[in-house]
Amino acid sequence: MTETTTLPVRVGTGDPVTLEDDATPLVRLVGRALRASVRDGHVPDAFDLLSGAVAVRSHDTPHTATIRFDRGTAAVSSGVLGQPDATLVVDLHARFASTEEPSGDAALASAALTVLQPPPPPWREAAAQFWEAARVVKGIPDVLVLEAHGPDGPQHGRFGEGTTTYGIAGPADLLAGVFSGADDFLVALAAGLKVRGTLSQLSVMTAASWKVRFDV
Amino acid sequence: MSETSTHRKAVRLEATNHEGSLLGKNVSPAKFEAGKDSGFAFADILFAIDLNNEIVLGDAFPDWRGNLYDIQMVPDMATMVEWKPGLDSVIGDYWLKDGTPVPICPRNLVRKLVARLADHGYGATVAVEIEATLFEEPVQEARARGYRDLTPLGGSTGATYHLARSNDWVAYMEAVVDRLDQVGITWEAWTDEAAPGQTELNLAPTDPVRLGDSWARTRQVMREVAHELGHTVSFMAKPTAGFGQGAHINISLRSDGVNRFYAEDGPSELMRHAVGGLLATMEGNTSIAFPQITSYRRLVDLTGPPTTVSWGVNNKTAAVRAITGHPKYSRLEYRLPGADVNPYLALAGVLAGVLAGIERRIEPPQEVTDMAWCLPESCGVRRIPDTMSKAGAALDADPLLREYLGDEFVDFWVASRRWEWMEFHTKGGDPFAELSAWESQRYFEFP
């Protein structure tokens, strides 16, 4: 592994989303979703006016994070200190789907949920971006071979060039979710995603999936 | 060591995995005789599963690992002892089919570094202080309770050196040292330690490989005796939310029978360089010395463990304590590791630091003569990394430890700790609890 497991706070980079130092996976996951929303324009019209602290709680684990919106910027930290303006209880393995009614400021909670749930790009686009980002992962295969299942039947994709290949087959939306970081690769495997490759390659693909999902 | 069985019924093959758990299997006498030279096949999965039996993912496997290949465990016949009537026990190392050591085999790492020290004409003498906590309840009851709300053996008032412990605690420790005597492990002392139910058992100084063997086996003895007496023992860094427990390593270097750490006027030049190397590698070594999520919960100022990258003569608040002025006893006490550490990897980390220091003639930073806890940043003394992710990043970036432990080991270890960190943070561990149920379930009984 050549990357560090800590992501320094990005100051002065123009990034409207900042994470605390030594961020937890949940903080990183929240940060990824927020950045994707900002990058893809999936933010409510009022984003630049949003202000307040939103607690994000996992529905089935003790993990929590706080997003502090401040008129076009968002700072994410671990835990919940004090009384947030709104609280979301979400399923981290279902793209931040609410599992119960948000509490507190309803407008702020609704806006925060919107920003946390950017739709993944089309599977081909997501796969191309993922495979490009995965180049830095030691041992990553040369070629990604995909079979995406959709309403029009299977579609195929091939990304990269070289001799070593890795194959993945599954629903198009799930592939898009895994490759964009919205969905967890190992959870997707347990849910029926099919792969073809060695155990070592599975290990490397896990590292690559963490890179896009958690930036580690 | 003790004699082997006169009526051998089985031989237990033993070696630790990366986590420090003593793994192995029992083989028949005939099977052992047939395989003792060529070795015995073990699945490489022993280096690829976590303490919850999940396959550890997130790194590129080296060539010797595939879809669960076999590796060879070759017994070291010098370690053969009669463990109990009819059962002999032998410790081994893991080797590849081409006769080269498995690069991530903990015991082989120690052997490699001992050999490198010998190239300089030095032999290391090491000792360890093993801390463990004892509970009245049998392990089955402890499991049923989720390892919570157990009763400390010997009483609930925790204060070091008390002789007024109840007989159940004394009987346990006496049974432990009896067993150590029987299997040829030389111990020096045992005592009541700071926390309720806690003990400290000191193993005698010896060479690093043998100490690693004795350390791993002592844990096994302490567990077996606990089972036999209907009690529970834990080497978890913090088995309760109260006191933690460590494993201090003492080391000196000798040549021609002379302790080269000794000088009349304080630390010898060699000792100073060893300190320099130990401090230069301390942040990276924290990942090895603190292998579990709970390990980092010990890092609280004023509670015993070091919290700063520091050293001092006779300063037990520092991470490295130099004991000086005695031709025989001059040594360094490396106070970083927790009780949950892999014995061999702990020793390998110390040897790597010492080697780095003496080969590069690394001068240590200024000695800390004040209390090394709670130091202001303006003193220029760094804090020990206080999370698994920070320590993993430090090890990943440490060129010295990469040289002495090898890139393959460092990459493997960093990836395995990243997996551990990810499991804790995504599978129910609570970073805000004093001690989460997830940690108790995962770490109380192992390594």
Side-chain angles (χ1 to χ4, degrees), chain B residues 196-391:
Chain B
Q198 195 173 62
T199 185
E200 179 183 305
L201 172 61
N202 302 334
L203 299 186
T206 184
D207 69 88
V209 175
R210 182 160 178 172
L211 185 80
D213 295 343
S214 296
W215 186 351
R217 277 177 161 166
T218 296
R219 281 182 180 170
Q220 181 69 18
V221 165
M222 292 178 79
R223 287 191 169 107
E224 289 184 11
V225 171
H227 295 330
E228 289 162 9
L229 297 180
H231 300 311
T232 301
V233 61
S234 179
F235 301 93
M236 190 175 174
K238 265 196 169 184
T240 69
F243 271 86
Q245 40 197 21
H248 303 160
I249 294 171
N250 289 264
I251 182 168
S252 62
L253 295 185
R254 298 176 179 276
S255 65
D256 303 320
V258 176
N259 183 345
R260 301 299 177 182
F261 277 179
Y262 167 69
E264 283 189 10
D265 53 350
S268 67
E269 180 183 64
L270 189 73
M271 182 191 263
R272 274 205 334 270
H273 292 156
V275 172
L278 287 172
L279 264 62
T281 55
M282 185 164 285
E283 282 134 310
N285 249 330
T286 301
S287 180
I288 296 166
F290 286 23
Q292 300 178 348
I293 291 290
T294 312
S295 312
Y296 296 85
R297 296 194 188 275
R298 292 177 57 237
L299 286 173
V300 180
D301 286 315
L302 300 170
T303 62
T307 54
T308 53
V309 181
S310 56
W311 78 285
V313 174
N314 273 332
N315 189 344
K316 285 193 180 182
T317 67
V320 176
R321 176 172 71 120
I323 298 94
T324 62
H326 195 289
K328 185 176 179 184
Y329 298 121
S330 291
R331 66 191 187 275
L332 294 174
E333 183 188 32
Y334 191 74
R335 297 174 57 81
L336 185 66
D340 51 354
V341 74
N342 180 321
Y344 299 102
L345 294 183
L347 292 164
V350 169
L351 292 170
V354 166
L355 270 162
I358 65 176
E359 288 187 352
R360 289 168 168 74
R361 303 179 63 80
I362 299 173
E363 286 294 336
Q366 188 169 4
E367 174 193 354
V368 174
T369 54
D370 295 320
M371 183 180 73
W373 295 312
C374 304
L375 285 173
E377 285 185 23
S378 58
C379 289
V381 177
R382 302 185 305 277
R383 300 283 297 186
I384 288 169
D386 59 359
T387 65
M388 184 171 276
S389 46
K390 288 181 187 174

Side-chain angles (χ1 to χ4, degrees), chain A residues 38-49:
Chain A
V38 171
R39 183 188 62 230
D40 300 339
H42 182 72
V43 289
D45 292 340
F47 180 71
D48 286 346
L49 302 176

Side-chain angles (χ1 to χ4, degrees), chain B residues 125-144:
Chain B
T125 302
V126 289
V128 65
E129 306 159 23
I130 300 172
E131 292 180 355
T133 302
L134 317 168
F135 298 95
E136 283 184 12
E137 293 82 1
V139 72
Q140 292 84 354
E141 187 173 340
R143 290 168 184 158

